[in-house]
Amino acid sequence: MNEIMEKARELGELIQNSEEMKNAKNMEILQDNDDNAQELLKAYNLQRMNLARDMQNNKITREEAVKKNNEAFEEMLSQSDVISKYIDAKKEFDNLVNQVNQVLNFYITGQDPNCTHDCGTCGGCH
């Protein structure tokens, strides 16, 4: 068990020191210190709360709320490079963590999460 925990700590340190994590942290700091980004995020969050309230009060449907939320999100991204770059950096970091989880899952369960059991989709098992 001690060896497993040591390897887990090593993996955690590697992830912590990865370019993906460093980039996400740097972009988060830039976003936190950008007044325009902060104002846009406040306005977006307020709109999300209003949409949720309107949906709860049956003023709009869930589909309408989702559509309006997505439009507001895209509008916010178009108005701030800083937010857009943070979102991209966060996606890259999340992708790294998801890939690590998939590898761990494969070695724990023996099942590839991407396997459809139709060898025509990937060319067969390795």
Side-chain angles (χ1 to χ4, degrees):
M1 181 86 140
N2 288 338
E3 183 180 358
I4 292 171
M5 295 310 293
E6 180 59 34
K7 295 296 181 186
R9 278 190 283 282
E10 287 177 29
L11 179 58
E13 288 175 5
L14 287 170
I15 292 170
Q16 182 180 37
N17 294 317
S18 70
E19 288 304 311
E20 292 86 349
M21 180 149 188
K22 288 177 186 175
N23 193 31
K25 289 279 189 189
N26 289 336
M27 292 298 109
E28 182 178 27
I29 290 167
L30 287 174
Q31 178 180 277
D32 288 347
N33 292 315
D34 185 279
D35 292 337
N36 181 52
Q38 292 305 304
E39 288 302 316
L40 289 168
L41 286 165
K42 284 179 191 174
Y44 172 69
N45 287 326
L46 179 62
Q47 184 170 3
R48 287 185 67 183
M49 289 187 328
N50 289 335
L51 287 170
R53 184 198 63 228
D54 289 349
M55 190 176 66
Q56 217 171 22
N57 293 331
N58 294 319
K59 292 182 179 179
I60 59 172
T61 65
R62 183 182 190 328
E63 291 78 21
E64 289 172 314
V66 168
K67 182 179 181 227
K68 288 181 179 188
N69 182 67
N70 289 343
E71 289 170 354
F73 185 77
E74 291 300 323
E75 178 67 21
M76 179 182 65
L77 291 181
S78 74
Q79 293 180 22
S80 175
D81 249 8
V82 172
I83 296 173
S84 184
K85 287 179 182 178
Y86 169 70
I87 297 290
D88 290 344
K90 182 77 169 87
K91 282 180 186 176
E92 286 181 29
F93 175 71
D94 290 346
N95 188 37
L96 171 67
V97 172
N98 287 334
Q99 288 175 356
V100 168
N101 284 332
Q102 286 178 358
V103 169
L104 289 173
N105 188 53
F106 174 76
Y107 281 97
I108 292 169
T109 66
Q111 295 181 352
D112 183 348
N114 297 315
C115 182
T116 63
H117 300 290
D118 173 7
C119 294
T121 63
C122 68
C125 294
H126 307 268

